[in-house]
Structures are given as C-alpha cells and as structure tokens.
Amino acid sequence: MDDLKNKYLTAINEAGDEATLEDIRLKAVGKKGEVSLKMRELGKMTPEERQVAGPKLNALKDEINAALAAKKVALEDAALDKRLSEEWLDVTLPSRPARQGSIHPISRVSEEIYAIFADLGFAVAEGPQVEDDWHNFDALNIPPHHPARQEHDTFYMHRDEGDDRPPHVLRTHTSPVQIRTLLDQGAPISIIAPGRVYRCDYDQTHTPMFHQVEGLCIGKDVSMANLKWVLEEFFTAFFGTEVKTRFRASHFPFTEPSAEVDIQCKWDNGTVKVGEGDDWLEVLGSGMVHPNVLKAGGIDPDEWQGFAFGIGIDRLAMLKYGIPDLRAFFDSDLRWLKHYGFNPLSVPTLAGGING
Ligand code: 2NL
C-alpha cells in the first residue's frame, strides 16, 4: 500500500500539465483505477482483515485526491504566471477613434413613419423607380397633354431614334406603386408607398431626388372624415404632441374632392414649432381617390371608395430635426459619411453650408 502511495504521489508531483494529471487520476482513483480495484477486493477479505485494510485504503484515496487538487491549482497558477510574464499591453497607444455622426435623418424619419402607419393598420408597398408613363401619369388621370405632365418637371429616359416604345420616366411620385399594388391585390386595401421620387428642380426647398410617402385606403365606406382622423393621429404620433390640421379645398387630377392639409405651428425667431400657436404650415396633399384612378387600378368605383394622400419625407425631417436647407441632406456631409465608416480625403463643401 505504501508502494502505491509513493508511486502516485510522485507521479502527481512530477506532472507537467493538466492532461497528465487527469491520466494519473484515472489510473489511481478512476472507476477502474488501481485503488478502486483494491477497494473491491475488500469484499473477499475476512472481517478482521477488512477492518485493517478498509480505513487505510480510504485514507490513501483521500490523500491522492487531495494531492491531485493541490497540483491542479499549482498548474493553473503557473500557467497564469507564464501568460502574465509573456503578454503585455502598450498603454501609450492612442485609443481607437470613436464613431461620429448618426443615422441619416431621412432614414430615421422613414422608419418612424413606417412604425406609426403600421400601428394604424397600413402595410408598406414598394415598386420601381423607373416607370412607364402609363403607371406614372395615365393611370392617375393625367392624360397625355394635361399640364400636370409639364408641371411635374419629369426626367425622361433616353430613347434611340426610331425607338417608338412609350416613354419611360423617373417616377415623379410613388402613386404608380399604389396603382401596381391595387392591380395586384384589389380592395379593400390600406397601404403606404414610401420611396425616392424625381423632379427636375433644384433650389433651397427642392432637390432633383427627394422622398415621398403616399397613403391609400380603400373600403366600402371609407370617407374624408377617416382621412382627417388618420392624419391627425399620424402627426400627433410623429411630432410627439397634439397637432391640429386644417383642410383647404384644392385640386389634383387623381383625387376628387381634393384638399391641401396644413398643420398647426408657431414661428419663433425664424424657426417653426409644430403643434402650438395659430399659424398654419402646408405639409401634404390629399383627397378622395378619383373614380378614373380606381378604374385604372382594376377597382369598381360603384362598389369601392377611399382616400389618398402624399407627404414629402424630407420636409417632415427638416421640420422635426430643424434642418434649414434641404440640400444639406444630399451633400457629402461629413456626419453621414463618418457614421458609415467612410474616411474621405477631401469633402466638397457648400459655401455657408453645414460643412463650411
Ligand atoms: C402632394 C400631393 C397627393 C395623392 C397624392 C394618390 C394616389 C393614388 C390615388 C389618388 Cl393611387 N391619389 N395620391 C393624392 C393626393 C395628393 O400628393 O402635394 N404631395 C406632397
């Protein structure tokens, strides 16, 4: 028994790593280990022999287990000491640059709009940005020589000489998406169509590409009153404060009757505050969908009716986040570039713009 004890305690002492230690443990006190086998032999002994051998074997097992545990801690300590002496940290290195900037306000506002209309039961519809003139104009009750075709300052796609296909255009509004979705899904329907739209125009309040969200709700008895409620819910949720609306009679080819909608605001040192005061700010166009438009969408106007509206997302973003010049959204403004990890060598600036 002393031989066994010496053999294993020496082996444990000399073990150089945890794998060797585990090997020794199995050979000594594992299920089929030498000590365990000896314990099994106790059964064959006379009671007198057993009274002597039993406690000795138990003591041996305890001693081996204790030696194993102590050696394990010693090996772990040694491994940690080794790592600490080998690894080092250069505390004089400059820190990694913190990311600057934020999500682009138009992306942010778009997400906010989707979420609010989702709560109001509207699904999001998408469609192509290059449209044929039927979906962009004819289907919306804008016939070929209607002045609105010119008013929209449309970008026409290039056609080779002799190419007589009907013109394709960069969509001037997202209405064609709603026509496509109506033709696809029929009524009843509640959708919003957000996205990029294009008009040939450029000044402080116009960029050739901008973002629009249109809404469409068709049912058996959907009314202008429903439109007013939906819009007031929307503006109140969007601006985080109760917002009154004012409807003014207007004209669009695709709605009848039509209304321009103003929201309540107050002018304060050249900036607007929405939801207080008694000034009004025009923010959108709307109305009851024209029967010709319902027909173009494959819907029977004797059976169905509903409202539609169109809002400029960029303008909403300017209002909510106090951005004075629309062009700032689409210049190489450092804040958006930095947010996405771009590191431009030189960034063009607009004189007096927000980079300058
Ligand atoms: C504006 C005017 C508007 C619509 C857009 C629409 C779409 C379909 C049918 C009928 Cl599919 N109407 N859209 C209606 C009224 C106004 O936008 O000035 N937006 C900024």
Side-chain angles (χ1 to χ4, degrees):
M1 189 112 49
D2 280 346
D3 284 352
L4 260 187
K5 176 173 158 178
N6 284 338
K7 174 171 143 192
Y8 284 114
L9 291 187
T10 307
I12 290 169
N13 196 33
E14 285 169 359
D17 54 60
E18 289 194 40
T20 314
L21 206 59
E22 177 62 9
D23 221 36
I24 298 168
R25 190 186 70 79
L26 288 171
K27 279 188 184 134
V29 294
K31 246 188 195 163
K32 289 179 185 164
E34 232 174 326
V35 178
S36 311
L37 291 176
K38 282 226 178 308
M39 283 180 140
R40 254 180 250 171
E41 284 168 16
L42 288 173
K44 297 178 202 152
M45 294 180 187
T46 64
E48 293 75 21
E49 286 172 327
R50 196 180 308 137
Q51 225 158 32
V52 180
K56 277 193 174 175
L57 271 174
N58 270 328
L60 174 61
K61 189 181 168 191
D62 289 346
E63 205 172 341
I64 289 176
N65 275 329
L68 282 165
K71 183 67 180 180
K72 187 162 185 264
V73 171
L75 283 174
E76 282 167 359
D77 282 353
L80 183 61
D81 281 346
K82 186 162 177 282
R83 262 188 71 188
L84 287 173
S85 70
E86 283 172 354
E87 289 178 12
W88 57 282
L89 191 70
D90 184 353
V91 295
T92 68
L93 276 178
S95 61
R96 291 191 190 90
R99 280 210 162 182
Q100 284 174 293
S102 61
I103 299 285
H104 196 288
I106 289 179
S107 307
R108 229 169 114 161
V109 162
S110 299
E111 297 291 333
E112 290 167 4
I113 293 171
Y114 305 161
I116 297 167
F117 279 108
D119 278 349
L120 291 167
F122 287 74
V124 173
E126 288 183 309
Q129 297 183 28
V130 176
E131 270 292 0
D132 51 73
D133 65 348
W134 186 85
H135 283 93
N136 195 77
F137 292 123
D138 302 70
L140 286 144
N141 198 34
I142 309 172
H145 297 291
H146 194 283
R149 288 221 186 187
Q150 279 77 53
E151 279 164 27
H152 277 216
D153 302 308
T154 315
F155 286 109
Y156 282 85
M157 305 307 283
H158 173 76
R159 283 274 188 267
D160 285 332
E161 226 172 300
D163 183 343
D164 298 326
R165 285 176 300 164
H168 276 79
V169 300
L170 291 180
R171 68 182 183 197
T172 58
H173 43 195
T174 58
S175 317
V177 176
Q178 293 174 297
I179 297 296
R180 287 177 182 279
T181 314
L182 268 183
L183 286 166
D184 249 27
Q185 300 178 10
I189 195 170
S190 293
I191 49 170
I192 56 167
R196 295 184 162 176
V197 298
Y198 302 85
R199 294 184 197 180
C200 190
D201 208 350
Y202 187 62
D203 60 36
Q204 186 163 344
T205 54
H206 297 90
T207 49
M209 184 280 291
F210 59 103
H211 301 80
Q212 199 194 23
V213 57
E214 288 208 2
L216 178 72
C217 176
I218 306 288
K220 295 272 178 180
D221 50 14
V222 174
S223 72
M224 205 93 174
N226 299 140
L227 167 66
K228 187 165 165 73
W229 182 84
V230 163
L231 291 178
E232 284 179 353
E233 284 294 306
F234 168 71
F235 285 119
T236 297
F238 182 76
F239 288 106
T241 178
E242 179 110 12
V243 181
K244 293 202 177 75
T245 64
R246 182 174 76 170
F247 279 53
R248 278 178 295 103
S250 183
H251 175 266
F252 302 108
F254 23 87
T255 45
E256 183 58 38
S258 303
E260 279 172 310
V261 180
D262 305 336
I263 53 175
Q264 176 197 10
C265 72
K266 180 174 131 186
W267 284 98
D268 190 22
N269 275 324
T271 59
V272 279
K273 287 214 175 102
V274 173
E276 48 187 283
D278 42 27
D279 293 323
W280 297 97
L281 189 70
E282 185 194 324
V283 284
L284 65 88
S286 64
M288 296 300 289
V289 179
H290 195 287
N292 289 349
V293 178
L294 288 175
K295 277 186 230 162
I299 305 293
D300 180 358
D302 291 329
E303 198 182 341
W304 302 96
Q305 62 180 41
F307 63 75
F309 58 85
I311 321 178
I313 296 180
D314 316 71
R315 234 164 92 71
L316 283 186
M318 292 169 77
L319 276 175
K320 184 158 178 177
Y321 296 110
I323 296 156
D325 188 331
L326 183 64
R327 290 171 295 194
F329 283 144
F330 310 116
D331 292 331
S332 302
D333 187 299
L334 271 176
R335 286 173 301 177
W336 326 138
L337 291 176
K338 280 181 180 164
H339 176 75
Y340 289 104
F342 292 104
N343 228 339
L345 288 172
S346 72
V347 177
T349 60
L350 242 193
I354 61 184
N355 288 319

